[in-house]
Amino acid sequence: MPNPSASQPAAMDSVFRALADPTRRAVLERLGARPASVSELAAHHRMALPSFLDHLKTLEGAGLVRSRKVGRVRTYELSPDRLRVAEDWLSRQRSVWEGRLDRLDAYLLSMKKEKPE
């Protein structure tokens, strides 16, 4: 399977931009439990509705949530597959840094063995 973040840097940027805001992260956590209407989501945040809708647009633009409208009610749900873009990038970074720290540890241990006390 091709690496989605390597082939779509703009997609990865939009995911991290969306995740950078605490309000948007709170919305994602809430939607992790179940889908919710705009009014249900907005009720937990102290801001004007147009400002809150901007947060939802950012999340939807990043592909982290999707919405559907039935009558006058717009409901949002989590799109967890898109989170893999961030998860894959973070996993690769963790692997790189763990390797670096392991090499540093080995180097420091070898220096300690070479130096008589």
Side-chain angles (χ1 to χ4, degrees):
M1 175 184 222
N3 178 353
S5 59
S7 62
Q8 301 174 354
M12 184 170 59
D13 290 348
S14 70
V15 167
F16 277 107
R17 193 174 305 113
L19 293 172
D21 185 88
T23 298
R24 294 191 284 265
R25 289 191 306 270
V27 168
L28 292 175
E29 287 179 33
R30 182 144 168 82
L31 291 175
R34 65 175 183 82
S37 68
V38 171
S39 58
E40 290 173 318
L41 293 169
H44 297 278
H45 302 279
R46 300 176 81 183
M47 65 179 68
L49 186 58
S51 297
F52 186 75
L53 289 173
D54 285 343
H55 286 293
L56 292 175
K57 286 178 190 174
T58 299
L59 289 169
E60 195 163 22
L64 295 169
V65 300
R66 57 183 166 266
S67 69
R68 61 183 160 78
K69 190 172 182 180
V70 177
R72 296 176 61 180
V73 178
R74 181 167 295 279
T75 301
Y76 282 82
E77 63 182 352
L78 190 63
S79 295
D81 290 343
R82 188 57 150 200
L83 286 171
R84 282 198 190 96
V85 170
E87 185 180 3
D88 291 347
W89 186 85
L90 290 168
S91 178
R92 286 192 307 277
Q93 296 307 307
R94 180 182 297 116
S95 177
V96 167
W97 281 100
E98 285 174 349
R100 288 176 179 170
L101 291 172
D102 288 346
R103 288 189 302 276
L104 176 61
D105 188 45
Y107 174 73
L108 293 174
L109 286 173
S110 71
M111 286 184 63
K112 185 177 180 180
K113 288 179 184 178
E114 289 176 7
K115 185 177 181 181
E117 293 185 36

